[in-house]
Amino acid sequence: MTAVQRQGGASPAPVPAPQAGPPAPSGGVRPGLADVRARAAATPPRKGLRRAVPSTNSGRIRAFVAGVVVVLVALLLLAWNGVDDARTGVRVIDTAGPQVIATGDLYFRLTDMDAQLAHALLVGDGPAHKDDRQQAIDRYTDSRSRADEALIQAARLARDSTERQTARSLLDALGRYEQFAGQALLQDQNGPVHSPGQASTQVTKLYRSATDLMKLELLPQAYNLTLDNGTIVRHTYEDKRSAVLTGRTIVVVTGLVLLVLLAGFQWSMARRFRRLLNLPLALTTVAVVVVVAWTAAMLGSEAASLSKAKTDGFDSILALARARAIGNSAQADQTRYLLDPERGDTYEQVFQSKSQTVLYLPADNLAGYQDSVRALKTLKTGPKDHPILGFLGAEGHRPSSDAKALGAVLRGFQRFQANDRQMRDLAKVKQTGAAIALQTGQAATDYAAYDDSLVKLAAVHQTTFDKAMKDGKGGTQGWQYALPIAGLVVVLLLVVGVRPRLAEYR
Amino acid sequence: MRTRGTRGLTFRALAVGLAASAALTACGVAGASGSSVATKDKLIIGVYADQPGLGRLSGSTYQGFDIEIAKQIAKFMHVKTVEFKTITADNREGKLQKGEVDLVVGSYSITPDRKTKVSFAGPYYVAHQSILVRASDAAQVTDVHHLAGRRVCRVKKSVSFPRVQKERGVPVVPVDATGYNDCLTKLVAKQLDAVSTDDLILAGLYAENAREGGPALKLVKTSFSDEPYGVGIKQGDVDGCEAVNKAITQMYQQNIPGRLLQVQFGSSDLDFTWTVPQFEGCE
């Protein structure tokens, strides 16, 4: 405020303007005003942009007020835009996220159809296995209808002709698959009653056609369609999160501009009207600070909610859904290994490759891999450690992953691999009956427990997702009213602040 | 001059502030796409120069299945110019990381280890390990286990030989060779009995041998591994990876890869897959 104190004595800058002269003061000449008028007469008219700069007090006040209102409106619009981005982000992820996860279920259901078909054909139709076979057929039927549902959902999410064609092609292949499956079951039923693992060559051939179709056409396209669907969530997340964060920076910068403008206004008023503080104007400044800080904090927390929902929620849920589907398909490869020994090498190799997709440990062969799996103590890795590769390894590398649920998953996976070793050892010494009994008995129970542990781990992330979405929705609640009201308050305070000064010129 | 100075400052601050906001907005928009291959008009694609049937440089032109696939990918990505550069198994990761090539299409199997260094779009084809023998041995070798006691080609750094010896546990006798072309020479010269690697490479050797009028060979129809051939791309270019996947999907919807395989390898009587493989995913 030194400028204000020294103002009287210092020679003020010549700031006249040829037009927009002061409104003729009706009563008396105030100090300072005479000076201005004298200078206005003495200085030559200015050119260019400077002509636009008002030189009188009232003109200056009006210009400042106009400037403040313009920047304020810009600030509110930008804040509104940021809020809108945050809302769109939350809304799209909240609806598309679960839909994408539902289409991920398609892959799981398809692998389950093929697994159940193999199971039913493996155990045969002898009286001792009647219930087991019926159960497999029932589960096949159930998975088929759920696959249909998931496929319709996925088709609905398809965004362009390429994705729609994939969905159509899936429907077509599913129809052909069901035909093969039906024929294989019928042929098996009409043929002579056989003991487990003794399906006829014809039946095995029909099953090969079915499972090849599944492996080569259905599963790849189903998986790819889910990947395509998943990009909706990723794009929305990346676009909206960066828009919200950019919005926050812009709001802060615009807010600072507004504050500088208000401070300049204060200073100018203080100098010209010799008042140290204009209270309403000071309150306007405070109100602007509050609006900017509040908006910035809200946008920051919206971005954090989006990030949490995407990385700690959605990504994990989707990765675990894939781990579940691929695991289920690996389990079916065990059944196929027993059902069709001629292709045993292939089925064993793909079992290993699928297991390594779920949890990667380098190994020369399946036995070596299974030794490494047995020796593994934990899936959890620190932020600076090398992550274990594969779906479960990636899950263990997330800082947010639940150690207890992860432990249960690892133990389940270890049992799954240990049972596999035992089953193959039995099959290799031609104890096929015992191998099949293990595979359809204890190993099946253990696998179900492992699968269940994956579902539980996914549920932890589902909770994270739901909470982040709730926070995201709650964070912007009421902002459509709060922003205009805040704007009105600022304008009112401004008017209250400048009205008495302007009145002096009427 | 103080008065005007103050006001000038305020107006200038306003101008600078608004300009800064505008600049930030611009950054936000531009930063999203960056240097993704999805937005490039010209692509530099790394390919092999010495794999018969897949990628081979003769004179100044590259030929083979991988080359045709690379051209198709570029076509479906609406790329105007494509330039090929020779890569080797040793330098393909480095060339991608340094940005010397945009994509690598060269019988590049996707493995968890490699995925820590580069990203993969595709696979555009899943090859299977198979066996090539002299026609006179074809009756005895119909399965990988029948290789027991036979002399099998071993190429340094290739995972194919360990797959037979360690993964399948077949007691074979290794005969070292410098590359698969060398394996073919030695097979023809009876210095070894079998070559086992990806079926597409074997089919390429088979066709090469037939062209040069070599003795009759037989490609055994056995598959004991899945080798997903991916399109290598700089790590983290998710948009580019998705664009390549879309191109591969469209290519398969028009049956193009199947026809290309038929042209390149039809003579070997190999069973091809005509449908799109399961992608790895881009994230």
Side-chain angles (χ1 to χ4, degrees):
Chain A
M1 285 290 129
T2 46
V4 178
Q5 279 137 16
R6 278 190 275 130
Q7 198 250 346
S11 71
V15 278
Q19 79 256 70
S26 44
V29 176
R30 280 177 213 89
L33 200 57
D35 276 0
V36 173
R37 274 206 247 159
R39 278 197 304 273
T43 4
R46 292 175 303 165
K47 293 176 187 131
L49 268 175
R50 289 194 176 186
R51 290 160 61 108
V53 178
S55 58
T56 63
N57 278 342
S58 66
R60 235 173 251 135
I61 292 173
R62 289 204 178 93
F64 262 120
V65 170
V68 168
V69 170
V70 165
V71 180
L72 177 70
V73 169
L75 174 70
L76 294 177
L77 286 176
L78 289 167
W80 184 276
N81 195 36
V83 171
D84 189 54
D85 280 330
R87 283 203 171 152
T88 315
V90 169
R91 197 185 57 236
V92 173
I93 291 178
D94 194 39
T95 37
Q99 279 176 331
V100 169
I101 291 161
T103 64
D105 195 44
L106 175 60
Y107 191 92
F108 179 78
R109 295 300 163 192
L110 290 175
T111 56
D112 201 46
M113 282 169 68
D114 202 46
Q116 297 312 320
L117 177 62
H119 189 118
L121 296 175
L122 177 69
V123 295
D125 49 2
H129 297 281
K130 219 176 170 69
D131 289 350
D132 199 4
R133 183 184 171 99
Q134 193 52 47
Q135 233 171 19
I137 293 175
D138 289 347
R139 210 174 130 181
Y140 168 86
T141 315
D142 179 51
S143 279
R144 196 198 59 195
S145 74
R146 286 184 193 226
D148 285 346
E149 267 169 51
L151 183 50
I152 290 166
Q153 180 83 272
R156 203 179 296 148
L157 282 175
R159 287 162 304 170
D160 57 28
S161 59
T162 312
E163 291 177 22
R164 275 191 292 277
Q165 194 176 334
T166 302
R168 260 201 308 277
S169 157
L170 266 169
L171 264 175
D172 168 61
L174 190 57
R176 279 182 287 140
Y177 179 86
E178 284 175 34
Q179 223 171 341
F180 282 129
Q183 282 173 6
L185 281 171
L186 195 69
Q187 186 93 249
D188 193 43
Q189 212 171 316
N190 291 347
V193 173
H194 68 82
S195 54
Q198 304 294 321
S200 71
T201 332
Q202 257 181 322
V203 170
T204 313
K205 257 192 179 162
L206 278 167
Y207 177 72
R208 275 189 188 179
S209 308
T211 197
D212 284 349
L213 180 64
M214 180 61 83
K215 186 188 165 184
L216 296 177
E217 287 193 46
L218 278 159
L219 291 178
Q221 295 190 85
Y223 197 80
N224 295 357
L225 194 59
T226 322
L227 287 175
D228 284 337
N229 289 159
T231 61
I232 304 171
V233 172
R234 185 180 71 82
H235 281 295
T236 309
Y237 166 72
E238 280 174 3
D239 293 353
K240 292 303 169 191
R241 181 172 172 273
S242 99
V244 168
L245 288 177
T246 311
R248 182 178 67 168
T249 313
I250 293 176
V251 163
V252 168
V253 170
T254 316
L256 285 177
V257 170
L258 189 51
L259 288 176
V260 168
L261 200 56
L262 282 168
F265 194 10
Q266 276 273 24
W267 189 5
S268 153
M269 295 272 281
R271 278 188 57 209
R272 290 184 189 279
F273 301 97
R274 299 174 191 279
R275 287 169 197 235
L276 277 182
L277 188 70
N278 180 325
L279 190 65
L281 265 190
L283 284 176
T284 312
T285 312
V286 172
V288 168
V289 169
V290 169
V291 170
V292 169
W294 195 22
T295 311
M298 181 275 295
L299 289 178
S301 98
E302 284 297 293
S305 289
L306 282 178
S307 173
K308 206 168 176 54
K310 166 75 167 50
T311 51
D312 288 347
F314 178 78
D315 285 353
S316 276
I317 299 170
L318 202 58
L320 289 171
R322 286 181 187 150
R324 226 185 133 206
I326 290 176
N328 197 43
S329 146
Q331 197 223 6
D333 285 325
Q334 298 175 315
T335 311
R336 291 180 200 122
Y337 172 82
L338 293 168
L339 178 70
D340 187 359
E342 212 177 293
R343 283 188 175 186
D345 282 325
T346 309
Y347 289 136
E348 186 175 307
Q349 199 272 335
V350 294
F351 175 83
Q352 181 187 339
S353 136
K354 283 173 192 169
S355 299
Q356 283 183 313
T357 307
V358 174
L359 177 63
Y360 181 76
L361 299 169
D364 287 337
N365 50 35
L366 185 56
Y369 172 74
Q370 289 172 336
D371 289 341
S372 306
V373 168
R374 198 179 48 221
L376 194 65
K377 295 271 184 300
T378 174
L379 289 169
K380 193 100 184 136
T381 43
K384 282 184 188 148
D385 299 341
H386 261 302
I388 303 170
L389 303 175
F391 287 121
L392 297 184
E395 181 61 29
H397 199 58
R398 287 181 206 282
S400 59
S401 63
D402 183 291
K404 201 171 147 237
L406 262 178
V409 168
L410 177 60
R411 282 190 300 281
F413 190 75
Q414 284 169 330
R415 264 197 303 277
F416 173 40
Q417 295 295 335
N419 287 333
D420 179 79
R421 170 79 72 90
Q422 206 185 337
M423 180 274 284
R424 278 179 221 275
D425 285 348
L426 285 170
K428 271 169 197 159
V429 295
K430 304 283 173 219
Q431 292 195 32
T432 316
I436 293 175
L438 172 65
Q439 179 63 19
T440 55
Q442 187 58 42
T445 315
D446 286 346
Y447 186 81
Y450 159 69
D451 189 52
D452 196 45
S453 72
L454 279 179
V455 173
K456 284 204 179 97
L457 184 57
V460 176
H461 291 288
Q462 185 66 50
T463 314
T464 309
F465 180 84
D466 292 343
K467 178 161 187 309
M469 284 289 102
K470 199 170 151 235
D471 290 349
K473 280 184 224 159
T476 54
Q477 211 161 38
W479 276 77
Q480 67 269 45
Y481 309 114
L483 279 177
I485 290 171
L488 273 179
V489 168
V490 172
V491 170
L492 272 176
L493 285 169
L494 192 63
V495 169
V496 171
V498 299
R499 239 182 87 95
R501 300 290 83 80
L502 277 177
E504 292 177 27
Y505 295 94
R506 283 199 193 110
Chain B
M1 297 299 278
R2 197 173 295 121
T3 318
R4 202 170 60 191
T6 309
R7 194 180 47 209
L9 202 73
T10 318
F11 275 89
R12 223 173 292 146
L14 177 67
V16 168
L18 286 179
S21 323
L24 273 168
T25 324
C27 275
V29 174
S33 56
S35 62
S36 167
V37 299
T39 57
K40 287 191 178 172
D41 280 340
K42 182 191 172 183
L43 285 183
I44 303 173
I45 304 182
V47 293
Y48 276 109
D50 57 357
Q51 283 189 340
L54 286 170
R56 180 166 236 190
L57 183 61
S58 55
S60 61
T61 50
Y62 290 89
Q63 288 169 339
F65 177 66
D66 282 343
I67 310 300
E68 295 305 318
I69 288 284
K71 284 181 188 162
Q72 291 293 334
I73 288 174
K75 189 184 106 188
F76 281 104
M77 284 173 78
H78 307 293
V79 172
K80 293 198 184 84
T81 340
V82 180
E83 185 191 322
F84 289 111
K85 269 193 188 169
T86 303
I87 46 110
T88 63
D90 288 332
N91 69 16
R92 51 191 173 185
E93 270 105 17
K95 280 194 189 276
L96 275 173
Q97 283 164 342
K98 280 184 237 143
E100 288 172 28
V101 294
D102 296 312
L103 300 174
V104 167
V105 183
S107 53
Y108 199 0
S109 286
I110 304 171
T111 66
D113 278 336
R114 287 177 184 158
K115 275 166 87 175
T116 60
K117 299 185 195 103
V118 297
S119 292
F120 283 100
Y124 57 90
Y125 194 73
V126 180
H128 306 282
Q129 185 155 350
S130 199
I131 304 163
L132 185 66
V133 291
R134 287 182 294 274
S136 50
D137 287 344
Q140 288 94 54
V141 183
T142 57
D143 180 302
V144 61
H145 295 281
H146 299 150
L147 289 177
R150 290 177 195 266
R151 295 170 298 168
V152 174
C153 194
R154 177 167 71 183
V155 175
K156 216 176 134 192
K157 279 202 164 179
S158 165
V159 296
S160 301
F161 184 82
R163 270 206 204 288
V164 176
Q165 194 186 37
K166 290 187 177 158
E167 199 173 291
R168 293 290 108 223
V170 183
V172 290
V173 182
V175 174
D176 286 310
T178 55
Y180 284 102
N181 276 319
D182 192 27
C183 288
L184 176 65
T185 315
K186 289 187 164 140
L187 178 69
V188 169
K190 298 194 177 176
Q191 289 166 3
L192 51 82
D193 304 314
V195 185
S196 179
T197 187
D198 303 353
D199 49 9
L200 290 192
I201 297 178
L202 294 180
L205 296 178
Y206 181 94
E208 170 111 332
N209 177 63
R211 250 196 316 278
E212 291 178 0
L217 299 178
K218 169 85 181 159
L219 189 62
V220 182
K221 283 187 186 178
T222 168
S223 65
F224 48 94
S225 82
D226 283 357
E227 301 293 341
Y229 285 177
V231 177
I233 188 168
K234 195 172 196 164
Q235 188 143 51
D237 185 2
V238 180
D239 286 337
C241 173
E242 281 171 3
V244 174
N245 279 350
K246 176 132 280 178
I248 295 173
T249 306
Q250 290 173 338
M251 200 161 84
Y252 270 98
Q253 286 178 348
Q254 299 184 18
N255 267 333
I256 293 170
R259 285 202 293 270
L260 291 174
L261 286 164
Q262 198 63 46
V263 170
Q264 291 292 340
F265 308 114
S267 64
S268 65
D269 197 26
L270 193 72
D271 287 329
F272 309 118
T273 307
W274 284 73
T275 46
V276 69
Q278 180 167 318
F279 293 151
E280 280 292 312
C282 292
E283 285 176 77

